[in-house]
Amino acid sequence: MIKDFIKRHKEIILYVFFGFLTTVVSYVSYFFCKAIGIRYEIATVIAWICSVLFAFVTNKLFVFESKSSKTKTVAKEITMFFGGRIVSLLLELLIMKIGMDFIHAGRLTLFAFGRDLPLGEFLTKTVAGIVVLVTNYIISKFMIFRKKKGGDTDENPCD
């Protein structure tokens, strides 16, 4: 029964697993930048770059199993992947801005990297991460790594 469930939902399970690892990459990058004094806007962009590079490789190879190695196809995939992630970066920045400027009034703190960080910032980053994870899955599945009816990744993801 568990094998059947895993087989039927393999793609989503792998996406969530690698999404979790991507989130870890994002959090570590973000809070490291914050710990060395970088503003949250710049820290968010740096964390985005690190996590998108990690996510492209894991999504292409393991989640959506894109087998194409043609230069033109890979170039289209990576261009569309980064384009989709720019959309989600803007969404994340909007959520962070709202959370940091309007919700972030409390004084609860979280200890990380040897510094007290506002708990509101951690919660805002978490909400942003969940919204971005769902958005990225939809973009990746239906636009970038879509499958042909035969199961292979579409050789021309821009059509």
Side-chain angles (χ1 to χ4, degrees):
M1 179 168 24
I2 293 173
K3 276 186 173 182
D4 288 340
F5 178 83
I6 291 171
K7 188 175 183 178
R8 280 182 295 164
H9 302 290
K10 177 184 172 191
E11 184 178 274
I12 291 174
I13 292 167
L14 287 172
Y15 189 82
V16 169
F17 174 73
F18 286 112
F20 171 77
L21 292 180
T22 299
T23 301
V24 169
V25 169
S26 179
Y27 272 60
V28 168
S29 303
Y30 176 82
F31 286 109
F32 175 76
C33 289
K34 289 289 296 183
I36 62 173
I38 296 174
R39 289 182 44 88
Y40 77 88
E41 298 94 340
I42 304 296
T44 298
V45 173
I46 292 169
W48 177 82
I49 291 168
C50 293
S51 61
V52 170
L53 290 171
F54 178 82
F56 177 75
V57 172
T58 58
N59 275 251
K60 178 172 177 54
L61 298 178
F62 304 113
V63 177
F64 299 108
E65 298 176 348
S66 175
K67 304 294 186 212
S68 177
S69 58
K70 292 180 182 177
T71 304
K72 184 177 177 181
T73 301
V74 173
K76 285 180 181 178
E77 286 175 341
I78 201 163
T79 300
M80 291 178 69
F81 193 86
F82 272 78
R85 291 319 194 259
I86 287 170
V87 169
S88 64
L89 171 64
L90 295 174
L91 182 60
E92 182 175 8
L93 286 170
L94 176 64
I95 293 167
M96 289 298 292
K97 181 76 171 159
I98 291 167
M100 296 298 288
D101 292 350
F102 300 109
I103 299 169
H104 178 70
R107 288 284 149 215
L108 295 173
T109 60
L110 171 72
F111 188 75
F113 292 108
R115 293 183 51 197
D116 283 334
L117 298 171
L119 188 56
E121 185 172 351
F122 181 80
L123 293 175
T124 300
K125 183 81 173 142
T126 300
V127 168
I130 292 167
V131 171
V132 165
L133 181 76
V134 171
T135 302
N136 287 341
Y137 179 78
I138 292 167
I139 291 170
S140 292
K141 173 137 181 98
F142 297 107
M143 295 176 65
I144 301 167
F145 301 112
R146 67 179 182 249
K147 306 257 185 196
K148 291 180 181 178
K149 292 198 185 217
D152 294 333
T153 302
D154 192 343
E155 282 298 314
N156 192 356
C158 291
D159 285 341

